[in-house]
Amino acid sequence: MDFWGSGPEGREAGGFSFHLLNANAPEEEVQRHSHEEAHFVLVLAGGYMSSAVGAPLVSDTPVLIYNPPGTTHQDRFHGGKGRFVAISGGTGPEAAALCLRDPYAHRLAHGIARDIDAATPFRLEANALQLHAAISPLSSDEARSAQVPPSWLNRAVEMIFTSDDPDLSVAAVASDAGVHPVHLARVFRRFLGCSPGEYLRGHRLERAAALLGEGVASLAAVAQSAGFVDQAHLTHAFRSRLGTTPAQWRRSRDVARIQDADAETRQ
């Protein structure tokens, strides 16, 4: 399977292929394209823009996308810069493309990314099969191993994604989950590959990007609504994480919407 990325030759195991890639095409050059096989994309760095259900306008939290067989999309990295792992193959459900927030699935994908060169083919195949199992309904007599994340972690992740409180803190999330903040940090790192603070800051940037994409609110209003201290704080976050300013991002989204509309017309 071809991806818009470059890197060392991928690995094959049990009917699956595994690639660790760097984005190699300018954002505006990525056209709508199709994938015959089911596949997962784990974003390791960069602002990823996906049409998958539940995906942010641009990512800054750990992002794992499942694309079913026959997916046609124009998913791409902002500015053409990013790093990702692609896991192809298997008989995944033929549903809509999904952005997965399940910490168990994230841990599996991060494990593949970490050990892609050193793991045995058996281990790579087993992890890929587990990843497919994570998106498929479990039967009543099935149970996951002790590696499954605690139930409170799913609640903590959901709290971050659904809260519109600009004063939301890591301590508040830990309190709601009923755990100590240090324990919350340890479990977040284990299953999601980042700290809860990084996850929260990432979600705020994603929320700001979405508001900017709507093109209505002022930059100061966007900063306040997304939980930043002020407009300067928002601008600093955009520059450090996406390599652009909020104003430049808003203008680039106007261009991207025109390009996407043109691509749809040509289908």
Side-chain angles (χ1 to χ4, degrees), residues 66-239:
Y66 167 70
N67 288 305
T71 293
T72 297
H73 62 193
Q74 198 174 7
D75 289 8
R76 56 199 183 273
F77 281 92
H78 172 63
K81 298 178 180 180
R83 189 164 180 261
F84 64 101
V85 169
I87 304 153
S88 305
T91 54
E94 296 185 8
L98 298 172
C99 179
L100 302 174
R101 298 205 299 266
D102 179 5
Y104 177 69
H106 274 260
R107 186 172 188 233
L108 289 170
H110 276 286
I112 291 173
R114 183 182 62 249
D115 302 327
I116 193 168
D117 293 324
T120 64
F122 180 89
R123 184 176 176 186
L124 285 175
E125 178 188 8
N127 282 355
L129 289 170
Q130 282 183 280
L131 193 54
H132 274 276
I135 63 170
S136 303
L138 294 174
S139 62
S140 58
D141 59 349
E142 287 181 311
R144 290 177 179 166
S145 70
Q147 292 182 322
V148 69
S151 59
W152 60 259
L153 181 57
N154 289 286
R155 188 168 69 251
V157 169
E158 192 66 22
M159 181 178 180
I160 291 174
F161 266 84
T162 59
S163 176
D164 57 1
D165 181 4
D167 296 321
L168 181 67
S169 66
V170 175
V173 175
S175 176
D176 181 79
V179 298
H180 192 280
V182 173
H183 184 55
L184 179 78
R186 185 179 297 116
V187 175
F188 253 75
R189 179 68 65 181
R190 178 185 179 193
F191 285 99
L192 292 170
C194 69
S195 72
E198 290 168 340
Y199 203 88
L200 177 58
R201 286 192 297 273
H203 177 58
R204 285 175 172 166
L205 189 144
E206 291 167 358
R207 178 175 172 80
L211 291 170
L212 288 168
E214 294 173 0
V216 177
S218 66
L219 297 184
V222 168
Q224 182 179 20
S225 297
F228 291 92
V229 175
D230 51 29
Q231 184 176 330
H233 187 202
L234 172 66
T235 299
H236 175 76
F238 260 77
R239 279 178 172 157

